[in-house]
DNA sequence: CCGCCGCTAAACATCC
DNA sequence: TGGATGTTTAGCGGCG
């Protein structure tokens, strides 16, 4: 279908309300199901201010969006994961290595830079469709949230806020957002029992197990050259960005693991994420590994294929639209056993059956420091894309200062 | 040409 | 009852 540009403008102005709600949400998250929110909530709000005033005045206007986004991201990452040390982060390595920042930016896809309010006509770019998939938009929105979880309404708000394009787009995009939330395995619904803002809907968080995949997707989508950072051809990668594989653990995100969750490197669910582009079209590397550990179903390279069950052949198509979902296996270790069993003899159209009950998605969201590193990297990617350097510097400095402060 | 991926639209159900 | 939310299905276009 053609771009939604031609359609009638969206009618409502939800952005303001959503923002307010988001603010309110913070409390809800912290009070309720999102322990991690405590650690992440406070500092976020400030980033906006800094984004507005800290950096070069000339670039403010055009960079505001990304500044905001990146600073928040970076702050969140930094705070979210105490273990996330800037020094080891690829994000900082990128800078430290003196990588061609500008070249990276320039090498980014034109659409990306334009969308991000690149140096050019940022105004126009804001009106153009973001180069991010809905999944990534949602991901960014959620990651930016203090509690790493948002209700759909706030997701709408975030998207509207950062991508004004959607404000003039028909409401169909909201449907797409919900559609993605529902269908993407990357996103999980969190029952928000406490502090419900309006009593409607649930919170959505990023499935920590898919987070690395999303990050990879983010990197890929934003600037293909980002791969260079993942797999530096010559220089040895930093500890946190292995050349070809990322070692990730089963992240524990905000809901359960909490920031204090100790990293257990010996955990069996530690996974190897291949950064090979061909291996994770759907950012499914992690699930793949996980699947393989649980069932023999997932040797496929793409999530969509493994999604519909290792045995289910070409109905992967369904999965394709959302990209990420890969069978509910990803997290339901035990449930899986109960459900499909190791044989994975689940019939292809298992979705419908799951739809009514507790679907594959469970109210579960965890985060891990390692992932924070990845997130930082992703944020760095975004920064590169936007050509935002000062922002990164600010974040870097703040991160350093935090680190020092911790010492 | 084919398969995968992402997007859009729509229908339907549920909840408040 | 209406709106928001959530799920599912179907189809289309782009891309490799």
């Amino acid at each position: 279908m053609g771009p939604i540009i031609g359609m009638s403008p969206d009618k409502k102005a939800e952005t303001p309300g959503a923002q307010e709600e988001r603010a309110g949400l913070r409390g809800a998250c912290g009070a309720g199901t999102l322990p991690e929110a405590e650690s992440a909530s406070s500092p976020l709000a400030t980033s906006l201010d800094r984004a507005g005033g800290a950096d070069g005045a000339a670039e403010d206007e055009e960079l505001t969006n990304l500044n905001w986004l990146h600073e928040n991201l970076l702050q969140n990452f930094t705070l979210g994961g105490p273990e996330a040390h800037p020094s080891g982060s690829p994000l900082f390595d990128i800078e430290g290595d003196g990588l061609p920042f500008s070249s990276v930016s320039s090498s980014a896809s034109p659409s990306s830079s334009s969308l991000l309010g690149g140096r050019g006509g940022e105004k126009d770019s804001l009106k153009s469709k973001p180069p991010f998939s809905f999944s990534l938009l949602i991901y960014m929105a959620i990651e930016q949230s203090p509690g790493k979880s948002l209700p759909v309404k706030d997701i709408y708000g975030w998207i509207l806020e950062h991508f004004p394009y959607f404000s003039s787009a028909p409401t169909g995009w909201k449907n797409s957002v919900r559609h993605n939330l529902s269908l993407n395995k990357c996103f999980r619904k969190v029952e928000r029992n406490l502090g419900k803002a309006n009593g409607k809907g649930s919170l959505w968080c990023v499935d920590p197990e898919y987070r690395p995949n999303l990050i990879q997707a983010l990197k890929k989508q934003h600037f293909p050259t980002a791969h260079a950072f993942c797999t530096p051809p010559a220089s040895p990668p930093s500890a946190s960005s292995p050349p070809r594989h990322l070692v990730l653990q089963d992240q524990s995100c905000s809901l359960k693991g909490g920031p204090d969750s100790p990293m257990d490197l010996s955990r069996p669910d530690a996974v190897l994420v291949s950064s090979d582009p061909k291996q994770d079209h759907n950012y499914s590397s992690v699930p793949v590994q996980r699947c393989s550990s649980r069932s023999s179903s997932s040797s496929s390279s793409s999530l969509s294929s493994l999604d519909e069950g290792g045995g289910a052949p070409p109905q992967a198509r369904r999965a394709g639209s959302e990209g990420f979902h890969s069978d509910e296996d990803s997290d339901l270790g035990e449930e899986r056993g109960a459900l499909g069993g190791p044989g994975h003899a689940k019939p292809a159209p298992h979705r419908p059956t799951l739809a009514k009950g507790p679907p594959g998605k469970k109210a579960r969201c965890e985060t891990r420091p390692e992932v924070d590193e990845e997130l930082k990297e992703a944020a760095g990617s975004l920064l590169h894309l936007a050509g935002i350097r000062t922002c990164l510097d600010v974040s870097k400095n703040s991160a350093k200062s935090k680190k020092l402060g911790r010492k």
Side-chain angles (χ1 to χ4, degrees), chain A residues 66-78 89 91-92 94 101 116 139-140 143-144 215 218-219 222-223 371-388 391-392 395:
Chain A
L66 259 286
N67 267 348
W68 190 95
L69 184 145
H70 295 315
E71 293 217 356
N72 276 350
L73 276 175
L74 289 172
Q75 283 211 338
N76 261 353
F77 301 160
T78 302
S89 168
L91 172 65
F92 294 89
I94 291 172
F101 221 95
L116 296 172
Y139 167 68
M140 288 188 285
E143 283 301 322
Q144 293 248 292
I215 293 167
L218 201 60
K219 286 189 285 189
H222 292 244
F223 57 88
V371 179
D372 286 340
E373 299 272 339
E374 286 292 304
L375 292 173
K376 281 183 186 176
E377 194 176 349
S381 301
L382 288 169
L383 286 168
H384 289 316
L385 247 197
I388 301 173
C391 167
L392 182 63
S395 299

Side-chain angles (χ1 to χ4, degrees), chain A residues 333-341:
Chain A
E334 298 158 9
E335 285 139 356
R336 170 168 222 54
L339 280 176

Side-chain angles (χ1 to χ4, degrees), chain A residues 104-105 107-116 129-140 163 166 180 184 187 212-227 230 277 280-283 321-324 377-378 381-382 384-386:
Chain A
V104 170
S105 294
S107 64
S109 71
S111 60
S112 300
S113 55
S114 71
L115 154 112
L116 296 172
K129 197 171 184 179
F132 309 98
S133 69
F134 278 111
S135 303
L136 292 179
L137 290 178
I138 296 168
Y139 167 68
M140 288 188 285
F163 301 94
F166 290 105
N180 262 274
N184 261 355
F187 307 115
N213 306 339
L214 284 164
I215 293 167
Q216 285 185 3
L218 201 60
K219 286 189 285 189
K220 284 185 210 161
Q221 187 152 357
H222 292 244
F223 57 88
T225 55
H227 210 58
C230 301
D280 60 354
H281 289 145
N282 297 352
Y283 334 131
S321 42
E322 273 54 50
F324 311 110
E377 194 176 349
S381 301
L382 288 169
H384 289 316
L385 247 197

Side-chain angles (χ1 to χ4, degrees), chain A residues 178-220:
Chain A
R178 293 196 307 271
H179 168 78
N180 262 274
L181 285 171
S182 260
L183 218 52
N184 261 355
K185 292 281 174 183
C186 303
F187 307 115
R188 295 195 167 276
K189 194 166 61 175
V190 180
E191 305 299 332
R192 51 172 175 180
N193 39 4
L194 301 176
K196 266 185 163 185
N198 54 12
K200 248 188 176 182
S202 309
L203 296 177
W204 292 89
C205 69
V206 176
D207 188 331
E209 316 203 5
Y210 290 83
R211 187 178 293 186
N213 306 339
L214 284 164
I215 293 167
Q216 285 185 3
L218 201 60
K219 286 189 285 189
K220 284 185 210 161

Side-chain angles (χ1 to χ4, degrees), chain A residues 141-371:
Chain A
I142 292 176
E143 283 301 322
Q144 293 248 292
S145 70
K148 294 291 193 296
S149 62
L150 283 179
V152 286
K153 200 169 184 178
D154 284 352
I155 295 175
Y156 295 159
W158 187 93
I159 293 175
L160 280 172
E161 187 178 348
H162 297 279
F163 301 94
Y165 159 81
F166 290 105
S167 64
S168 59
T171 51
W173 68 272
K174 293 181 180 176
N175 193 1
S176 296
V177 169
R178 293 196 307 271
H179 168 78
N180 262 274
L181 285 171
S182 260
L183 218 52
N184 261 355
K185 292 281 174 183
C186 303
F187 307 115
R188 295 195 167 276
K189 194 166 61 175
V190 180
E191 305 299 332
R192 51 172 175 180
N193 39 4
L194 301 176
K196 266 185 163 185
N198 54 12
K200 248 188 176 182
S202 309
L203 296 177
W204 292 89
C205 69
V206 176
D207 188 331
E209 316 203 5
Y210 290 83
R211 187 178 293 186
N213 306 339
L214 284 164
I215 293 167
Q216 285 185 3
L218 201 60
K219 286 189 285 189
K220 284 185 210 161
Q221 187 152 357
H222 292 244
F223 57 88
T225 55
H227 210 58
F229 300 138
C230 301
T231 69
S235 63
S238 63
S240 47
S241 72
R244 300 195 60 80
H245 296 87
L246 299 172
V247 178
L248 298 167
Q249 269 96 33
D250 178 38
Q251 312 102 1
S252 40
C253 140
S254 8
L255 288 194
K256 290 193 173 166
D260 299 331
S261 302
M263 292 301 308
D264 189 353
L265 297 176
S266 63
R267 282 184 61 159
D269 45 351
V271 292
L272 250 186
V273 177
S274 169
S275 56
D276 184 351
K278 292 186 176 181
Q279 297 236 331
D280 60 354
H281 289 145
N282 297 352
Y283 334 131
S284 61
S285 350
V286 170
V288 165
Q289 289 297 332
R290 291 178 52 84
C291 286
S292 63
S293 68
R294 284 191 191 128
S295 68
S296 56
S297 68
S298 54
S299 50
S300 7
S301 56
S302 101
L303 205 162
S304 46
S305 50
L306 65 85
D307 175 15
E308 304 308 339
Q315 29 188 296
R317 168 130 193 106
R318 230 338 10 246
S321 42
E322 273 54 50
F324 311 110
H325 64 154
S326 78
D327 219 352
E328 47 276 297
D329 61 346
S330 59
D331 42 326
L332 320 172
E334 298 158 9
E335 285 139 356
R336 170 168 222 54
L339 280 176
H344 207 86
K346 246 191 280 185
H350 53 271
R351 276 243 163 226
T353 53
L354 295 170
K356 294 298 158 111
K361 311 177 166 238
K362 307 205 62 175
R364 178 181 80 102
C365 185
E366 305 156 28
T367 186
R368 296 218 165 183
E370 283 77 4
V371 179

